Amino acid sequence: MIHAQYEPLAKLWGVPVSEVPKYLAIEKNLTIISSILKSILDNLSFGGTYINVPENQVFINTINSSMIPIVKSNPKIKPYINLLSFKNATNSSHKLNVTLNELTLFLQTLNTTNVTIGISPIINNIVIHLYYEDDPVNKKFIEKAKTFYPIIKYSQPNSANSTKLKSKIKKRIIENLILGGDGLHNVDGSLKCSAGLWVQDENYVDYLLTAGHCYQGSPLNPSGYVDFYLQGWYSQPTYNYIGPLVYYSSVTHDFGLIRHVNTNSTLTTMIDNSDHPNLYKHLLIEEASNIDDVGVHVCKSGFATHVVCGQVTELNVESSYQLLNGRTFIWRELIGTDMGTIGGDSGGPVFSYSPIKLPYVSVVGITIAGDESKTEYIPLSVILRVTRLNFNLSIIVTPQ
């Protein structure tokens, strides 16, 4: 029964559910090796690394093969030689970073919209995600980008009616607990985003972390803020008030803070997983951590898609978007994954499982954007850095 909780990861890795704890241990070991490699590899001779959990290998994109013996002879890496695979590659990490910076400048100057770019060590190239319907708008950018020979992937935008997940499960009894992944609606009863994480500033003021763009298209209260209310999975709007979105940074780093003011709604260190009520319908947040390896698993909880798992596919992701007023901005420092996202998931927590500590999980970020084949999230480390001067936030975790 406990192993059944790992079903999303079993599907991801193509292994029996009972084998998932073993593969999580493999993944942890591979990330340790990857961390060691990052201190050894230079950006001109190598083009990044990524891990493959089912194959139990760390792959190293290699430009200059004469450097391989030097890496293998390093005392720190010698114990792991059999877990390394050196791949012939074309693009060095230095070249990829320079290209990413050039393409970002094009995003800014050519008024592009709905374009996401990032570095994929698996492909050893820049990956650009575009919507078919945006091609005429972004024609100049596409022409410029093609001169760098990136990989361009096209996808259709989410359908307008895809914000609600159909299910035969009966509606959940509404509690006043605010769980990560539950829905947030505005005063009009319109679903806007998903609840993220309980955070606290240095003055012990409580906030609910979510996506910054959640304010768009909502009425303002007399103080000039958007009010948010709790909406559980499989439920209609409750008008159970949480508080106002008193801060949002949606220009370069997309996140927002809802000040918790209603004592009838309770912030928690739990993530909604109520599709599995007989196992762990609530996942407990043990810690906040950081992921910077491609190939590592991540999962998310959101109002539309509920708990879904995938793997990190791209780093240093930047995404152009357009506000309702027509102005175009770029979200920065995102991480790309192959999890699917539907409207309403934005703001929900992104986390990783432990091989031995269920129902405890590590939170790594919140969902920002994506489509039915991918998700971009902003790491918690970025949010904490950006807010250090104004709020000095802390992630609240489950006492143990």
Side-chain angles (χ1 to χ4, degrees):
M1 289 290 289
I2 293 175
H3 282 158
Q5 187 64 58
Y6 289 129
E7 186 176 347
L9 287 181
K11 183 177 179 181
L12 172 67
W13 287 326
V15 300
V17 174
S18 60
E19 293 287 290
V20 170
K22 181 183 78 173
Y23 280 80
L24 283 170
I26 290 172
E27 180 185 72
K28 184 176 182 180
N29 187 52
L30 294 177
T31 59
I32 292 172
I33 300 169
S34 178
S35 178
I36 296 172
L37 285 168
K38 287 171 185 173
S39 67
I40 298 173
L41 305 179
D42 71 79
N43 290 335
L44 293 175
S45 299
F46 298 95
T49 66
Y50 63 95
I51 72 171
N52 187 303
V53 176
E55 294 184 22
N56 193 19
Q57 290 284 295
V58 179
F59 290 91
I60 305 168
N61 294 320
T62 307
I63 312 301
N64 182 1
S65 59
S66 67
M67 296 296 293
I68 295 176
I70 298 175
V71 174
K72 287 184 175 182
S73 64
N74 189 292
K76 293 181 180 179
I77 210 66
K78 270 188 173 181
Y80 308 109
I81 291 296
N82 292 334
L83 303 181
L84 306 182
S85 291
F86 292 87
K87 291 181 60 180
N88 292 329
T90 303
N91 297 312
S92 68
S93 294
H94 174 75
K95 180 180 178 181
L96 290 172
N97 282 310
V98 170
T99 301
L100 181 67
N101 289 335
E102 290 285 340
L103 291 174
T104 300
L105 288 175
F106 293 149
L107 285 180
Q108 293 174 318
T109 58
L110 297 177
N111 199 34
T112 55
T113 181
N114 291 333
V115 176
T116 299
I117 59 176
I119 296 174
S120 171
I122 296 175
I123 302 176
N124 185 230
N125 206 341
I126 300 293
V127 177
I128 301 176
H129 297 273
L130 296 163
Y131 289 138
Y132 282 113
E133 68 173 18
D134 293 327
D135 287 359
V137 177
N138 297 323
K139 185 177 180 180
K140 288 184 179 179
F141 170 77
I142 296 170
E143 290 175 351
K144 287 274 190 181
K146 284 182 177 179
T147 63
F148 293 90
Y149 303 102
I151 302 299
I152 298 179
K153 294 185 177 182
Y154 295 93
S155 60
Q156 295 288 354
N158 294 327
S159 58
N161 62 357
S162 64
T163 57
K164 293 185 179 179
L165 187 71
K166 295 180 180 180
S167 174
K168 296 180 180 178
I169 299 177
K170 294 182 179 179
K171 292 181 180 179
R172 174 159 70 88
I173 297 175
I174 295 299
E175 301 167 337
N176 293 333
L177 299 179
I178 305 170
L179 307 176
D182 278 357
L184 300 174
H185 71 80
N186 63 14
V187 70
D188 290 338
S190 299
L191 176 72
K192 302 303 293 184
C193 282
S194 292
L197 304 167
W198 177 9
V199 297
Q200 198 173 73
D201 69 15
E202 58 188 355
N203 296 314
Y204 303 103
V205 177
D206 293 319
Y207 301 90
L208 178 64
L209 176 66
T210 188
H213 67 267
C214 300
Y215 77 94
Q216 292 191 66
S218 292
L220 304 179
N221 64 23
S223 299
Y225 302 118
V226 176
D227 287 320
F228 283 101
Y229 305 79
L230 179 64
Q231 184 171 351
W233 290 0
Y234 311 116
S235 302
Q236 298 301 311
T238 65
Y239 291 94
N240 186 3
Y241 188 52
I242 298 173
L245 186 74
V246 296
Y247 175 86
Y248 58 87
S249 173
S250 62
V251 176
T252 55
H253 298 97
D254 185 24
F255 62 89
L257 299 172
I258 300 172
R259 189 175 69 240
H260 182 237
V261 298
N262 187 0
T263 56
N264 291 325
S265 62
T266 304
L267 287 168
T268 72
T269 58
M270 298 186 291
I271 294 173
D272 200 340
N273 190 41
S274 52
D275 284 347
H276 301 282
N278 296 324
L279 296 170
Y280 300 119
K281 78 172 191 174
H282 300 153
L283 300 173
L284 307 180
I285 297 172
E286 178 190 29
E287 61 181 356
S289 59
N290 199 35
I291 289 178
D292 56 5
D293 289 302
V294 167
V296 172
H297 91 276
V298 285
C299 306
K300 66 181 180 65
S301 180
F303 182 85
T305 56
H306 298 185
V307 173
V308 178
C309 294
Q311 66 178 11
V312 173
T313 56
E314 297 159 28
L315 303 174
N316 304 321
V317 173
E318 310 213 350
S319 181
S320 67
Y321 67 100
Q322 194 172 70
L323 295 178
L324 296 178
N325 62 13
R327 296 183 64 188
T328 299
F329 293 98
I330 298 176
W331 289 327
R332 301 182 182 276
E333 298 188 79
L334 303 176
I335 291 182
T337 76
D338 59 7
M339 298 182 290
T341 287
I342 297 178
D345 283 339
S346 293
V350 180
F351 61 93
S352 61
Y353 282 107
S354 163
I356 57 175
K357 293 184 179 180
L358 276 175
Y360 292 96
V361 298
S362 299
V363 287
V364 299
I366 58 171
T367 298
I368 297 303
D371 55 35
E372 294 176 12
S373 63
K374 64 183 180 67
T375 293
E376 290 86 42
Y377 75 86
I378 182 170
L380 293 179
S381 58
V382 174
I383 295 173
L384 296 179
R385 188 196 75 227
V386 172
T387 58
R388 187 167 294 129
L389 290 179
N390 294 329
F391 293 93
N392 197 19
L393 294 174
S394 300
I395 309 295
I396 307 301
V397 299
T398 306
Q400 296 185 57

